[in-house]
Amino acid sequence: MIVYADLISGDEMMTDAFKIKPVMNSKGEKVEGLFEVESEIIVKGGDNVDIGCGNSFGGGGADEIVDDSVEKVNNIISSFNLSECPFGSRNEFKEYLKEYVKKVRTALKDSGTPQPQIKAFMAIAPDMVKFLLENYKEYQFYTGSSYDPSGAMAFAYYKEGALTPSFVFIEAGLKVTKVVELRDIFIIESALGKVFIRFIADLFEHFCCLLL
């Protein structure tokens, strides 16, 4: 599994268990430097549920059977313990983005990221920031589990007709880490076991030939 962790705070913000998509502007063009993930409402500790025609954070439709003992949550907010952190104004959001881009550049440099990659990020940063500012009124803002408002944020918005929000992330601000799962370990151990058995069989066959 691939984990996307905040370069600043270290908070896990996303994994490839969710379907990652490019962010498109109003002209249908890809916005470089951003990606998004669609969320769902799930039963906490259970499977996805039908939320009817209600708002994703409100109630379901009139015909929906509601079980008061069941807790429904947004799968992204719940999975990564995101906390809402609203900005007071567009200018405040602008200042955050300005400082955040600088912090990402410094973090990339400190982590040994190749200079061409850092320059590429800084080259697309102005258009990326412009797009985010243009959509300021559409967003709900979420920090990671450490609630560090200076670190990475997820920008949630509703697509037309959507009952649950999509979450937008700044790609360069997330460190990509490959996490080996238990299932992968079993596969590796199984493969190594087969190789070892084959080695012993070949060795035994060779020994028998020498005896003959």
Side-chain angles (χ1 to χ4, degrees):
M1 179 172 68
I2 295 190
V3 173
Y4 297 84
D6 179 11
L7 277 174
I8 310 301
S9 68
D11 294 341
E12 289 188 9
M13 301 294 289
M14 183 49 56
T15 74
D16 65 348
F18 296 83
K19 188 175 182 180
I20 293 173
K21 300 179 180 180
V23 174
M24 312 301 287
N25 62 22
S26 59
K27 297 179 182 179
E29 302 167 334
K30 179 181 177 182
V31 182
E32 298 293 339
L34 301 176
F35 70 80
E36 68 178 24
V37 179
E38 294 179 3
S39 67
E40 297 177 344
I41 294 298
I42 61 172
V43 172
K44 194 168 186 178
D47 298 323
N48 294 354
V49 296
D50 182 0
I51 60 171
C53 297
N55 181 276
S56 61
F57 293 101
D63 296 331
E64 184 182 4
I65 299 175
V66 179
D67 183 350
D68 292 336
S69 66
V70 172
E71 183 182 2
K72 297 177 185 178
V73 296
N74 181 281
N75 62 343
I76 291 179
I77 294 175
S78 178
S79 295
F80 302 100
N81 295 316
L82 303 184
S83 299
E84 189 169 2
C85 182
F87 287 94
S89 66
R90 184 178 182 276
N91 283 337
E92 190 176 325
F93 181 41
K94 182 178 180 180
E95 284 303 310
Y96 159 77
L97 290 172
K98 180 180 177 181
E99 292 303 315
Y100 180 68
V101 167
K102 291 180 181 178
K103 287 186 177 182
V104 169
R105 179 179 60 183
T106 300
L108 290 173
K109 183 178 179 180
D110 292 344
S111 65
T113 301
Q115 191 63 28
Q117 191 173 331
I118 298 175
K119 287 183 177 180
F121 165 66
M122 296 305 296
I124 64 175
D127 287 340
M128 178 186 70
V129 168
K130 180 182 178 182
F131 173 83
L132 292 172
L133 288 173
E134 288 174 348
N135 291 278
Y136 165 73
K137 291 184 179 181
E138 305 296 324
Y139 292 141
Q140 290 174 272
F141 305 93
Y142 291 86
T143 65
S145 58
S146 67
Y147 201 75
D148 182 353
S150 66
M153 284 194 176
F155 314 118
Y157 76 102
Y158 287 84
K159 294 183 178 180
E160 185 176 355
L163 299 175
T164 53
S166 293
F167 288 77
V168 174
F169 299 87
I170 296 176
E171 188 171 7
L174 302 176
K175 180 181 178 181
V176 180
T177 305
K178 173 71 174 178
V179 177
V180 178
E181 299 180 86
L182 190 59
R183 179 188 60 183
D184 297 330
I185 295 174
F186 286 150
I187 292 173
I188 293 170
E189 287 182 341
S190 177
L192 289 175
K194 289 178 181 179
V195 170
F196 181 72
I197 291 172
R198 183 60 191 168
F199 171 75
I200 295 299
D202 289 343
L203 187 64
F204 180 74
E205 182 179 350
H206 179 68
F207 180 72
C208 290
C209 289
L210 290 176
L211 292 177
L212 294 175

